[in-house]
Amino acid sequence: MKRSLLIFALLFATTFTAIADKGMWLPSLIASRIDDMKSKGFKLDAEDIYSINQASLKDAVVMFDGGCTGEIVSEKGLLLTNHHCGYDAIQALSTVEHDYLTNGFWAMNHAEELYCEGLKVHILVRMEDVTDRIAAGETKADIIAKAEAEGVGFKATVESMYYGNEAYLFIYREFNDVRLVGTPPTTIGKFGADNDNWIWPRHTGDFSVFRIYANENNEPAAYSSDNKPYKPARHFHISTKGIKEGDFTMIYGFPGNTQEYITSDAVKYVAEVSDPTKIALRTQRLDIIGAAQASSPAIRIQYAAKQANIANAWKKWQGEVKGINRLGTYDKKLAYEERFRRENPDKAYLLDSLAAAYERNYEGYYHYELYSETLRGIELTQVVYIALNDRLSEDERQAALERFYKDYNHNVDRQIAVAMLSAYAEKASIFSPELSALLEEHGGPAAYAEWLYANTTLSSLESYNTENVMSDPITEFTLAIEPIRMYVRDYTYRNFSNIPDIERWYRPYVKALMEWDKERAFFPDANLTLRVAYGKVAGYWYADGEYHLPQTTLEGIIAKDNPDIYDYNVPQALRDAYATKDYGRWGREINGKYTVPVCFIATNHTTGGNSGSPVINAKGELIGINFDRTWLSTMSDIEFDETLCRNIICDIRYVMFVIDKVGGAEWLIEEMGI
């Protein structure tokens, strides 16, 4: 009883103190939050944030490459986002001779801007509640088709909110002529790399510059040399006045995934099974890739984007487990559920049904995650899928193979195959008869993987031969694991809780919570749709006696600078600027020193997808580019705690300093009207 009372006390303390800066709100409904925002210092109105009758801030926000956010900052479609969001595009344009990752790239006029094949951005036209239309029998497909017929380049989706209790239509303009304008060297854009990822204090200039192009009518169009810079309905104006602790901040972007309303069953799975398993498996892959990258500049470029993609979630999961345990999230969920049961005895069956559904689907979802982190990570199987894809023309097949082999190293993949096939064999209980027979025939997973890579003819584009594909041992292996892939396909959902057999119980459960818990501010979980979050610039107590200030500066970069370590070897231009204090108009007096501001933190509720999001001040001016959370914040996808959760922002003044003093691209600063 004493333990239960303590848990209830912790629950209420957290709920009512952390609610202030918690939430990811739909822009079309932001009027319901505007009074609270203004009480915290915001100077604009709801129509300034989102409007379909006039240009508003929403018209300057883009979904970048399907998983990040960006912001338009000029009348000519100039776009800022994160360096890590543009990383794939920058890597694809890089070669050993033109290593834009290492050296950076700066166009000095429109003609020098580089087209990024396959890169798309989406600008929201409007969002619309279609819950009643669907309830009346209209299908999502019909709603989408009608919406896309409204304009050139229109793309639409219908997304559920609150586990299907509501549905919204989102209509976008899709632009697919996007060009690289500028990027700092990796040792600015990814300064500190994995060591500093998810860490505060932070000194990363995580930004890159692109431009949207359109046809002569300012409409989305395929790439053409005749296209012109896009003229947006609205762009962000930049403020270089700076920030101080307590200042209002708002973030506008496309957060990807949160699980605010999951039960204790799901929290337990994440903290005790899912995250620890995935962390261990990715550690093995990262160790192999890291050693190979250190041995060869060519491999470093080939595997740069792959390594970054693997490492990002790997470190995030570590912080998530730490944060869940530190906050006692599992116990607080249990306490909340106990209270719900006691006060709603007629609806307690919802929690029982959820628990039973989790148990039914445990094995399937666990193997989906295990397969994804092991067998799917064996790269050479992709060649088999390309070769056997009868929907590809011969030209398309050849192009796909060339893209694959450009960033492929046979020895790296061999080592990963040995490790991942061994890990799957050790942890899995689901095998195909064909795979079991092959493992037994060749003396176990490690020996089999070594034999595969020694005997395949698919090791390079030069050795690839269409006539040999069907008889190749890699094809035999790929077909042997195909039944496993087909089995886990039924569990391929963003989260454990999104499996239909589980999610169907969340719809009435969340509805019941909203009817019961009147003091709770309910917002829909993030699902890569446009959202507003707001808070303030704030430091935090990292540990007993250790307060982290909310601003970092150039002094911290120079303190970490090390020419012997790739990730800390800053460009000489930056060293020279520091040595001569040549900061131009970007220099400031901070903490008693004349320096350049680099990053700051705030209490905005963010997650993956908010990378690249504009961070604005009380006047709606751009003051920074969001790029990360602190390590202790990564549990905010499940539980947001205002005392610990901080989003990390690249100060817009550092962005301008790098463009000016490192890139020498002052023409871009003039274009932005600074």
Side-chain angles (χ1 to χ4, degrees), residues 297-309:
I299 296 176
R300 176 177 53 75
I301 295 172
Q302 284 180 316
Y303 280 80
K306 297 174 188 176
Q307 190 275 345
N309 289 334

Side-chain angles (χ1 to χ4, degrees), residues 193-412:
D194 294 334
N195 288 328
D196 286 5
N197 194 20
W198 304 101
I199 296 298
W200 185 261
R202 195 70 173 276
H203 302 88
T204 308
D206 196 347
F207 78 93
S208 51
V209 188
F210 292 82
R211 192 184 303 279
I212 305 168
Y213 278 75
N215 65 17
E216 60 183 5
N217 298 318
N218 205 39
E219 298 167 332
Y223 168 77
S224 169
S225 58
D226 295 329
N227 286 345
K228 307 296 182 184
Y230 171 65
K231 298 176 182 177
R234 180 77 175 260
H235 69 275
F236 283 102
H237 296 280
I238 292 171
S239 170
T240 60
K241 293 179 181 178
I243 52 93
K244 64 180 184 301
E245 192 150 11
D247 280 357
F248 176 89
T249 57
M250 185 189 110
I251 191 166
Y252 211 164
F254 291 87
N257 179 38
T258 57
Q259 303 182 76
E260 175 74 14
Y261 308 108
I262 58 172
T263 63
S264 55
D265 303 283
V267 174
K268 186 179 181 69
Y269 176 78
V270 168
E272 297 183 8
V273 179
S274 177
D275 282 1
T277 299
K278 293 183 292 189
I279 290 165
L281 293 170
R282 290 203 175 192
T283 298
Q284 294 184 62
R285 291 165 69 191
L286 288 168
D287 287 347
I288 292 167
I289 292 172
Q293 287 181 305
S295 71
S296 163
I299 296 176
R300 176 177 53 75
I301 295 172
Q302 284 180 316
Y303 280 80
K306 297 174 188 176
Q307 190 275 345
N309 289 334
I310 295 169
N312 191 50
W314 166 77
K315 196 165 185 179
K316 182 260 188 182
W317 292 325
Q318 295 174 58
E320 185 171 68
V321 172
K322 187 179 181 72
I324 287 172
N325 292 335
R326 179 171 178 169
L327 290 176
T329 304
Y330 175 70
D331 282 342
K332 283 189 279 188
K333 286 281 187 181
L334 278 178
Y336 191 73
E337 290 158 18
E338 287 176 21
R339 179 178 161 224
F340 177 83
R341 285 179 182 276
R342 188 173 65 252
E343 297 181 13
N344 302 272
D346 60 323
K347 295 178 180 176
Y349 76 94
L350 293 172
L351 286 167
D352 296 333
S353 299
L354 279 164
Y358 276 115
E359 186 175 353
R360 279 195 303 272
N361 291 280
Y362 174 88
E363 183 179 58
Y365 194 74
Y366 170 75
H367 278 84
Y368 156 66
E369 293 201 299
L370 183 61
Y371 169 85
S372 298
E373 296 296 329
T374 56
L375 302 182
R376 197 168 70 180
I378 299 173
E379 292 183 82
L380 204 51
T381 60
Q382 295 177 37
V383 173
V384 178
Y385 289 117
I386 293 171
L388 300 184
N389 187 345
D390 57 12
R391 290 176 296 180
L392 297 177
S393 68
E394 285 308 311
D395 288 345
E396 290 171 331
R397 193 184 324 279
Q398 183 63 26
L401 289 169
E402 289 175 1
R403 286 194 299 270
F404 172 83
Y405 283 114
K406 174 181 178 291
D407 294 325
Y408 175 77
N409 181 276
H410 192 64
N411 186 50
V412 173

